[in-house]
Amino acid sequence: MAGIIVETDAAKNIMYQDKVTTREEALSHLFFHCCLKDAEYTTEELNALSEKMVIGGLNDDLNFTEEMQKYKSYFGAIENDEAYINYLVHLIQPANNLALYSYCVELCLSDSVFAQQEETLLLKIGAALDVENSEQSTINKLIVQRNIVEVQKLF
């Protein structure tokens, strides 16, 4: 059986830990995860993602295409979303956790669909960022209403 490699859970976790080592990478990969959690991405999501990367100054430090390729190389192997998100948040060390959480909500909703897996993802992100459930609920409602205003032009 020489040459057969058995990939353990620890090896899968190391895969993303080897590819995401800086604050900037972690932030971009968290944003990718918010857009791609439903395994699909639209033009609207990519536009929103690009906007967030520019707002965060990530476009100066990272190559969007290279980071997306790195993310896609391990995305399917993430078995423990909570551990992955905690790892990213640990690297990011956010000073403004509510703002980061709100950006994640915006990205999850940027395709105008709020899938169950995205809702679950946001709960995990909120927990990792120490955002209370009541704050998460308020931010979620705010972002949903802003999206309605932007799409339907309805206040």
Side-chain angles (χ1 to χ4, degrees), residues 7-65:
E7 191 171 0
T8 65
D9 289 342
K12 290 178 183 177
N13 288 341
I14 290 172
M15 176 183 268
Y16 65 73
Q17 290 177 358
D18 287 346
K19 294 180 186 257
V20 183
T21 59
T22 68
R23 177 184 188 279
E24 292 78 12
E25 290 170 344
L27 190 54
S28 70
H29 288 244
L30 179 61
F31 288 169
F32 293 145
H33 204 57
C34 290
C35 286
L36 299 175
K37 185 60 181 168
D38 58 6
E40 297 179 23
Y41 55 93
T42 64
T43 302
E44 292 83 10
E45 284 179 307
L46 291 179
N47 290 340
L49 178 59
S50 297
E51 179 183 315
K52 299 294 178 261
M53 291 186 76
V54 170
I55 288 170
L58 299 174
N59 60 318
D60 296 335
D61 300 322
L62 299 174
N63 180 306
F64 179 85
T65 304

Side-chain angles (χ1 to χ4, degrees), residues 105 108-109 111-120 122 140 144:
V105 174
C108 285
L109 290 172
D111 62 356
S112 300
V113 176
F114 196 42
Q116 178 62 43
Q117 61 262 38
E118 291 171 319
E119 188 174 343
T120 302
L122 288 173
N140 293 353
V144 166

